[in-house]
Amino acid sequence: MIQTPDATSLHDKMNVVDLDVFYGNFQAIKKGNLAVPDHRVMALIGPSGCGKSTFIRALNRMHDLTPGARVEGTITLDGTDIYAPDIDPVTVRHRIGMVFQRPNPFPKSIFENVVYGPKIHGEKNAKRLLEIAEKSLRAAALWDEVKDRLNRSALDLSGGQQQRLCIARVLAVEPEVILMDEPASALDPIATSKIEDLIGELKKKYTVIIVTHSMQQAARISDFTTFFLLGELIEVGTTSDIFTRPKDKRTEDYITGRYG
Amino acid sequence: MVGVRANKAHRDERFALIVLVTCSGIFVVAIALILGFLAFSGTRLFFHDHVSPFEFLFSTNWDGLGGHFGAAPFIVGSLIATGFAILVGGPLGVAIGVFFSELAPKRVADAMKPAIEVLVGIPSVVYGWLGLTVLVPLIGSIFHTGGDGLLAAGIVLSIMILPTVISLSEDALRVVPDSMREGSAALGATRWETISRVLVPSAKSGLAVAVILGIARAIGETLAVQLVLGNAPVFVTSLLRPASALTSEIVMDMGDAPDGTAFQHALFSMAFLLLLIAMGLILLIRFALRKRT
């Protein structure tokens, strides 16, 4: 198992042990091992098709929704195996939120999008829901832009605003871990930098795991970086180590731009 | 060379445009002519024969040869049979559509889809015939009546519109992007919460179209209704007694109504009214949907 350097003093929020993910006969992740330190940002980098999205989707059991996908190995959250037979995937996803590549707000009002999670988890008090909405939208740095039009359709927002709304929607259910699958890949540079600033704020309260195709982005926002290649986790380290002193030749080749 | 090719492409495009505009133009004109003709013929009863629209709509006295044109029994019969079909077949069809799109194993759903589409195309006489030979005796033996009436018509229509509603509901749900399902699941929603709170609301205009086409099929259905309704031109007092509907009554009476008589004009009025009811129901649903968004 690859140990995360400099993380010995940190509590491991999640632990992945010998993870294999298959789509039918194709093995997309091969014996993946990773310790994710609490209250830090972990970036997953690597060329397209290397399995980083597949990996992150295993962390909140999204593969349960994909016909033909199979997950083997162990993934723990605070020491509890999230794939154990007595664990309800719905509870797992309540504790581990996810932001997707493309903003996917529901065709509802801005307010209804944010309170969707709290509502399904049983919050009915209108005043409380409004508080949650404000708090989450503020945390997602969107409140000032939408506070006067909470009842307007979320689909009227710009792409960057929609993505921050999706982040607010995740924050509203108060998860412990937030997974982000290239959350800025569909956004322009200004919207991207807003999302990046936000991620820096989020790690104070949450553990963040982010897939990114941009090495610059990983360098800017993450504390730790994992390099993926062809379904294997090649190297894990602090972000500065990975980018300045990679141990593996393949990591070095990638970060110096020899893999496209 | 390039100039010549561009010219040809340009000509082809103009030609295609002309063909398309002509076709849609012919269609629009044909529809307008039908509507115009129905509107003209359908109001002759009032303007030419001086029968009061009030009598036509609210009187229950129907005696075409005797000069009494109270169509209320048929209006109410049509509305009840259609309403029954929509209240039963609409929700049931949408529910089955949801089941096939979201819950059934993919292999089952893929096998059922063509089967349901075949059912859409079954001629209504088949449904009516089954209703007459199976359903009517069944209702008769349960309630100790003749068995024909609005209950039988309502059930036959419910079953008849089911394939249409199922097939279109399923399509409407399938076009909701997977990102909605994932987004909802990632927030800790169960499959049922995702269906009821995200997918159905997202698909609601498509689901409305499914129900509207169900209504259209039910309100206009003649043969299946006629076979099981008993065709008594009297006002509805029970779902278990013979009754009549606008469509079936037009068919029953058209052979007896000579050209140019008030009787024939009354039948045209009923046809026109059918059109107005169908349009009204459709507009109602569209309006109800728009208000909620």
Side-chain angles (χ1 to χ4, degrees):
Chain A
M1 183 171 156
I2 305 171
Q3 275 302 322
T4 310
D6 298 354
T8 40
S9 61
L10 290 165
H11 162 66
D12 286 341
K13 186 68 185 172
M14 295 190 79
N15 247 302
V16 181
V17 181
D18 290 343
L19 181 75
D20 292 320
V21 182
F22 301 87
Y23 296 120
N25 293 324
F26 173 71
Q27 184 166 8
I29 294 289
K30 294 164 196 157
K31 290 274 169 278
N33 286 283
L34 185 67
V36 183
D38 201 7
H39 287 91
R40 291 292 182 275
V41 178
M42 165 72 80
L44 312 181
I45 63 166
S48 301
C50 67
K52 43 194 199 298
S53 286
T54 299
F55 184 85
I56 202 172
R57 291 168 66 89
L59 301 181
N60 67 339
R61 297 192 58 170
M62 286 310 274
H63 291 304
D64 291 16
L65 273 61
T66 317
R70 201 167 85 248
V71 177
E72 286 168 12
T74 311
I75 300 176
T76 58
L77 173 67
D78 288 334
T80 310
D81 182 359
I82 61 169
Y83 280 89
D86 59 332
I87 297 287
D88 183 354
V90 168
T91 338
V92 170
R93 297 189 199 113
H94 189 169
R95 293 179 63 191
I96 306 175
M98 184 169 215
V99 178
F100 296 84
Q101 221 175 80
R102 298 196 156 272
N104 57 349
F106 304 132
K108 298 171 182 283
S109 70
I110 294 167
F111 176 75
E112 285 298 332
N113 262 279
V114 182
V115 300
Y116 177 81
K119 268 190 169 175
I120 57 176
H121 298 305
E123 182 60 64
K124 291 196 183 78
N125 184 318
K127 191 162 156 276
R128 181 83 193 100
L129 288 172
L130 201 61
E131 286 166 15
I132 293 173
E134 174 167 354
K135 191 170 150 231
S136 313
L137 286 166
R138 279 191 191 283
L142 188 60
W143 174 254
D144 289 332
E145 292 161 59
V146 301
K147 63 184 176 201
D148 302 323
R149 44 176 177 153
L150 291 177
N151 289 317
R152 293 271 295 279
S153 168
L155 304 179
D156 294 342
L157 297 173
S158 73
Q161 289 173 325
Q162 287 187 2
Q163 193 61 304
R164 276 178 286 149
L165 177 65
C166 291
I167 294 173
R169 193 169 72 177
V170 169
L171 300 181
V173 300
E174 301 186 323
E176 296 154 47
V177 180
I178 299 176
L179 310 175
M180 297 184 157
D181 188 358
E182 300 196 28
S185 66
L187 306 181
D188 64 62
I190 292 168
T192 300
S193 87
K194 281 188 180 163
I195 300 277
E196 289 182 4
D197 293 346
L198 186 54
I199 292 168
E201 285 296 311
L202 290 178
K203 73 173 180 186
K204 293 175 187 163
K205 284 189 69 184
Y206 309 92
T207 302
V208 179
I209 304 171
I210 177 170
V211 168
T212 175
H213 62 267
S214 151
M215 281 182 283
Q216 291 80 0
Q217 187 171 63
R220 281 194 298 266
I221 62 175
S222 69
D223 304 298
F224 298 95
T225 297
T226 306
F227 172 60
F228 282 70
L229 188 64
L230 300 170
E232 285 180 66
L233 282 70
I234 304 296
E235 188 171 354
V236 186
T238 63
T239 298
S240 62
D241 278 350
I242 291 283
F243 282 101
T244 55
R245 294 180 293 276
K247 293 195 186 75
D248 196 293
K249 178 80 168 55
R250 290 165 294 181
T251 314
E252 190 181 343
D253 286 347
Y254 181 68
I255 60 163
T256 53
R258 253 167 278 174
Y259 273 114
Chain B
M1 264 311 272
V2 174
V4 173
R5 280 200 43 181
N7 261 337
K8 186 176 179 313
H10 189 67
R11 257 204 333 271
D12 287 353
E13 198 168 309
R14 275 189 67 88
F15 178 72
L17 189 70
I18 289 168
V19 170
L20 292 177
V21 167
T22 311
C23 290
S24 42
I26 290 171
F27 173 72
V28 168
V29 169
I31 293 288
L33 281 175
I34 292 172
L35 287 179
F37 176 75
L38 257 186
F40 172 74
S41 310
T43 50
R44 296 267 289 170
L45 181 68
F46 314 124
F47 295 123
H48 182 265
D49 308 308
H50 303 293
V51 172
S52 128
F54 190 81
E55 183 197 337
F56 176 73
L57 289 174
F58 298 109
S59 165
T60 59
N61 184 3
W62 177 261
D63 177 7
L65 297 171
H68 296 288
F69 304 108
F74 319 129
I75 297 169
V76 173
S78 274
L79 288 179
I80 291 179
T82 306
F84 188 107
I86 287 311
L87 290 180
V88 175
L92 193 61
V94 170
I96 299 173
V98 167
F99 174 76
F100 282 132
S101 161
E102 303 302 321
L103 300 171
K106 197 176 168 341
R107 255 183 310 159
V108 175
D110 287 350
M112 286 305 291
K113 188 144 184 61
I116 292 167
E117 277 162 6
V118 166
L119 287 179
V120 173
I122 288 187
S124 59
V125 65
V126 176
Y127 288 99
W129 180 247
L130 284 173
L132 184 65
T133 53
V134 179
L135 188 64
V136 167
L138 185 70
I139 293 175
S141 68
I142 293 173
F143 295 101
H144 306 292
T145 61
D148 41 12
L150 281 167
L151 180 65
I155 294 174
V156 166
L157 285 180
S158 304
I159 295 170
M160 211 181 95
I161 67 168
L162 265 183
T164 308
V165 180
I166 293 171
S167 179
L168 291 166
S169 307
E170 190 184 345
D171 292 347
L173 281 158
R174 283 195 181 197
V175 299
V176 176
D178 274 341
S179 65
M180 294 294 124
R181 292 176 184 85
E182 292 186 339
S184 177
L187 292 166
T190 61
R191 204 135 67 137
W192 173 243
E193 285 161 347
T194 299
I195 290 171
S196 62
R197 295 180 187 229
V198 177
L199 301 183
V200 168
S202 301
K204 76 181 172 198
S205 61
L207 295 176
V209 169
V211 173
I212 285 171
L213 287 179
I215 291 180
R217 194 153 187 219
I219 187 95
E221 179 47 40
T222 311
L223 206 47
V225 166
Q226 199 184 358
L227 281 170
V228 300
L229 201 47
N231 305 308
V234 291
F235 196 76
V236 187
T237 52
S238 158
L239 294 182
L240 296 164
R241 294 249 181 86
S244 199
L246 286 168
T247 49
S248 56
E249 195 59 31
I250 293 173
V251 177
M252 297 293 292
D253 286 343
M254 63 187 181
D256 302 329
D259 268 359
T261 59
F263 193 6
Q264 194 203 32
H265 295 157
L267 298 184
F268 270 120
S269 297
M270 280 158 58
F272 187 47
L273 188 62
L274 266 175
L275 182 91
L276 293 181
I277 292 175
M279 277 167 55
L281 287 172
I282 289 165
L283 287 176
L284 201 70
I285 288 187
R286 293 248 178 237
F287 180 72
L289 280 176
R290 191 159 317 158
K291 236 174 76 178
R292 274 197 291 139
T293 30

mmCIF file of all heavy atoms in Angstrom, chain A residues 158-177:
data_model
loop_
_atom_site.group_PDB
_atom_site.id
_atom_site.type_symbol
_atom_site.label_atom_id
_atom_site.label_comp_id
_atom_site.label_asym_id
_atom_site.label_seq_id
_atom_site.Cartn_x
_atom_site.Cartn_y
_atom_site.Cartn_z
ATOM 1 N N SER A 158 -25.819 31.255 -15.139
ATOM 2 C CA SER A 158 -24.702 30.944 -16.031
ATOM 3 C C SER A 158 -24.085 29.614 -15.610
ATOM 4 O O SER A 158 -24.360 29.112 -14.517
ATOM 5 C CB SER A 158 -23.649 32.048 -15.945
ATOM 6 O OG SER A 158 -22.967 31.955 -14.702
ATOM 7 N N GLY A 159 -23.240 29.064 -16.477
ATOM 8 C CA GLY A 159 -22.620 27.770 -16.174
ATOM 9 C C GLY A 159 -21.854 27.783 -14.862
ATOM 10 O O GLY A 159 -21.962 26.867 -14.045
ATOM 11 N N GLY A 160 -21.083 28.848 -14.644
ATOM 12 C CA GLY A 160 -20.288 28.941 -13.420
ATOM 13 C C GLY A 160 -21.178 29.042 -12.189
ATOM 14 O O GLY A 160 -20.908 28.422 -11.156
ATOM 15 N N GLN A 161 -22.259 29.823 -12.323
ATOM 16 C CA GLN A 161 -23.196 29.941 -11.203
ATOM 17 C C GLN A 161 -23.887 28.611 -10.942
ATOM 18 O O GLN A 161 -24.085 28.219 -9.791
ATOM 19 C CB GLN A 161 -24.240 31.027 -11.509
ATOM 20 C CG GLN A 161 -23.670 32.439 -11.470
ATOM 21 C CD GLN A 161 -24.682 33.464 -11.955
ATOM 22 O OE1 GLN A 161 -25.474 33.195 -12.861
ATOM 23 N NE2 GLN A 161 -24.653 34.645 -11.361
ATOM 24 N N GLN A 162 -24.231 27.918 -12.040
ATOM 25 C CA GLN A 162 -24.885 26.612 -11.876
ATOM 26 C C GLN A 162 -23.974 25.652 -11.117
ATOM 27 O O GLN A 162 -24.419 24.905 -10.254
ATOM 28 C CB GLN A 162 -25.240 26.004 -13.238
ATOM 29 C CG GLN A 162 -26.401 26.691 -13.917
ATOM 30 C CD GLN A 162 -26.843 25.975 -15.181
ATOM 31 O OE1 GLN A 162 -26.297 24.930 -15.539
ATOM 32 N NE2 GLN A 162 -27.816 26.535 -15.865
ATOM 33 N N GLN A 163 -22.671 25.679 -11.445
ATOM 34 C CA GLN A 163 -21.763 24.751 -10.776
ATOM 35 C C GLN A 163 -21.634 25.111 -9.290
ATOM 36 O O GLN A 163 -21.594 24.223 -8.445
ATOM 37 C CB GLN A 163 -20.398 24.759 -11.487
ATOM 38 C CG GLN A 163 -19.470 23.612 -11.095
ATOM 39 C CD GLN A 163 -20.028 22.230 -11.417
ATOM 40 O OE1 GLN A 163 -21.118 21.860 -10.986
ATOM 41 N NE2 GLN A 163 -19.295 21.448 -12.188
ATOM 42 N N ARG A 164 -21.605 26.415 -8.986
ATOM 43 C CA ARG A 164 -21.541 26.784 -7.565
ATOM 44 C C ARG A 164 -22.849 26.425 -6.857
ATOM 45 O O ARG A 164 -22.861 26.067 -5.673
ATOM 46 C CB ARG A 164 -21.231 28.286 -7.410
ATOM 47 C CG ARG A 164 -19.723 28.557 -7.487
ATOM 48 C CD ARG A 164 -19.407 30.023 -7.389
ATOM 49 N NE ARG A 164 -19.748 30.705 -8.629
ATOM 50 C CZ ARG A 164 -20.150 31.983 -8.710
ATOM 51 N NH1 ARG A 164 -20.248 32.702 -7.617
ATOM 52 N NH2 ARG A 164 -20.439 32.509 -9.871
ATOM 53 N N LEU A 165 -23.966 26.498 -7.617
ATOM 54 C CA LEU A 165 -25.231 26.052 -7.038
ATOM 55 C C LEU A 165 -25.168 24.560 -6.717
ATOM 56 O O LEU A 165 -25.655 24.112 -5.674
ATOM 57 C CB LEU A 165 -26.384 26.333 -8.020
ATOM 58 C CG LEU A 165 -27.770 25.852 -7.580
ATOM 59 C CD1 LEU A 165 -28.231 26.601 -6.334
ATOM 60 C CD2 LEU A 165 -28.791 26.039 -8.692
ATOM 61 N N CYS A 166 -24.556 23.800 -7.620
ATOM 62 C CA CYS A 166 -24.444 22.357 -7.374
ATOM 63 C C CYS A 166 -23.561 22.091 -6.158
ATOM 64 O O CYS A 166 -23.792 21.148 -5.406
ATOM 65 C CB CYS A 166 -23.897 21.640 -8.607
ATOM 66 S SG CYS A 166 -25.074 21.647 -9.965
ATOM 67 N N ILE A 167 -22.547 22.937 -5.953
ATOM 68 C CA ILE A 167 -21.713 22.801 -4.757
ATOM 69 C C ILE A 167 -22.539 23.159 -3.514
ATOM 70 O O ILE A 167 -22.522 22.442 -2.511
ATOM 71 C CB ILE A 167 -20.444 23.684 -4.873
ATOM 72 C CG1 ILE A 167 -19.554 23.146 -6.004
ATOM 73 C CG2 ILE A 167 -19.673 23.712 -3.551
ATOM 74 C CD1 ILE A 167 -18.361 24.016 -6.338
ATOM 75 N N ALA A 168 -23.314 24.249 -3.612
ATOM 76 C CA ALA A 168 -24.173 24.639 -2.483
ATOM 77 C C ALA A 168 -25.143 23.512 -2.144
ATOM 78 O O ALA A 168 -25.411 23.221 -0.974
ATOM 79 C CB ALA A 168 -24.952 25.909 -2.831
ATOM 80 N N ARG A 169 -25.649 22.865 -3.186
ATOM 81 C CA ARG A 169 -26.605 21.780 -3.009
ATOM 82 C C ARG A 169 -25.970 20.621 -2.230
ATOM 83 O O ARG A 169 -26.616 19.990 -1.401
ATOM 84 C CB ARG A 169 -27.007 21.324 -4.416
ATOM 85 C CG ARG A 169 -28.181 20.439 -4.524
ATOM 86 C CD ARG A 169 -28.595 20.304 -5.968
ATOM 87 N NE ARG A 169 -27.664 19.485 -6.745
ATOM 88 C CZ ARG A 169 -27.841 19.164 -8.025
ATOM 89 N NH1 ARG A 169 -28.885 19.627 -8.669
ATOM 90 N NH2 ARG A 169 -26.976 18.426 -8.651
ATOM 91 N N VAL A 170 -24.692 20.378 -2.514
ATOM 92 C CA VAL A 170 -23.972 19.327 -1.788
ATOM 93 C C VAL A 170 -23.709 19.770 -0.340
ATOM 94 O O VAL A 170 -23.908 19.004 0.598
ATOM 95 C CB VAL A 170 -22.640 18.991 -2.505
ATOM 96 C CG1 VAL A 170 -21.771 18.107 -1.625
ATOM 97 C CG2 VAL A 170 -22.922 18.308 -3.833
ATOM 98 N N LEU A 171 -23.296 21.037 -0.168
ATOM 99 C CA LEU A 171 -23.007 21.527 1.179
ATOM 100 C C LEU A 171 -24.242 21.476 2.066
ATOM 101 O O LEU A 171 -24.145 21.255 3.279
ATOM 102 C CB LEU A 171 -22.479 22.967 1.123
ATOM 103 C CG LEU A 171 -21.197 23.182 0.320
ATOM 104 C CD1 LEU A 171 -20.780 24.645 0.375
ATOM 105 C CD2 LEU A 171 -20.092 22.278 0.835
ATOM 106 N N ALA A 172 -25.420 21.667 1.452
ATOM 107 C CA ALA A 172 -26.656 21.718 2.232
ATOM 108 C C ALA A 172 -26.951 20.393 2.942
ATOM 109 O O ALA A 172 -27.665 20.383 3.939
ATOM 110 C CB ALA A 172 -27.835 22.108 1.340
ATOM 111 N N VAL A 173 -26.435 19.293 2.441
ATOM 112 C CA VAL A 173 -26.674 18.027 3.135
ATOM 113 C C VAL A 173 -25.574 17.736 4.170
ATOM 114 O O VAL A 173 -25.578 16.691 4.801
ATOM 115 C CB VAL A 173 -26.823 16.818 2.171
ATOM 116 C CG1 VAL A 173 -27.984 17.007 1.231
ATOM 117 C CG2 VAL A 173 -25.554 16.572 1.399
ATOM 118 N N GLU A 174 -24.643 18.697 4.325
ATOM 119 C CA GLU A 174 -23.566 18.582 5.305
ATOM 120 C C GLU A 174 -22.821 17.251 5.241
ATOM 121 O O GLU A 174 -22.803 16.482 6.211
ATOM 122 C CB GLU A 174 -24.121 18.829 6.716
ATOM 123 C CG GLU A 174 -24.745 20.199 6.820
ATOM 124 C CD GLU A 174 -25.172 20.548 8.242
ATOM 125 O OE1 GLU A 174 -25.632 19.645 8.953
ATOM 126 O OE2 GLU A 174 -25.029 21.720 8.611
ATOM 127 N N PRO A 175 -22.194 17.005 4.092
ATOM 128 C CA PRO A 175 -21.411 15.769 3.967
ATOM 129 C C PRO A 175 -20.097 15.941 4.722
ATOM 130 O O PRO A 175 -19.794 17.023 5.227
ATOM 131 C CB PRO A 175 -21.168 15.663 2.473
ATOM 132 C CG PRO A 175 -21.109 17.088 2.006
ATOM 133 C CD PRO A 175 -22.043 17.858 2.896
ATOM 134 N N GLU A 176 -19.320 14.870 4.799
ATOM 135 C CA GLU A 176 -17.997 14.976 5.423
ATOM 136 C C GLU A 176 -16.911 15.038 4.366
ATOM 137 O O GLU A 176 -15.871 15.646 4.545
ATOM 138 C CB GLU A 176 -17.778 13.762 6.337
ATOM 139 C CG GLU A 176 -18.769 13.739 7.483
ATOM 140 C CD GLU A 176 -19.013 12.332 8.012
ATOM 141 O OE1 GLU A 176 -18.030 11.611 8.227
ATOM 142 O OE2 GLU A 176 -20.185 11.970 8.193
ATOM 143 N N VAL A 177 -17.195 14.371 3.239
ATOM 144 C CA VAL A 177 -16.247 14.351 2.134
ATOM 145 C C VAL A 177 -16.955 14.908 0.896
ATOM 146 O O VAL A 177 -18.127 14.625 0.682
ATOM 147 C CB VAL A 177 -15.774 12.907 1.840
ATOM 148 C CG1 VAL A 177 -14.782 12.893 0.676
ATOM 149 C CG2 VAL A 177 -15.166 12.281 3.082
#
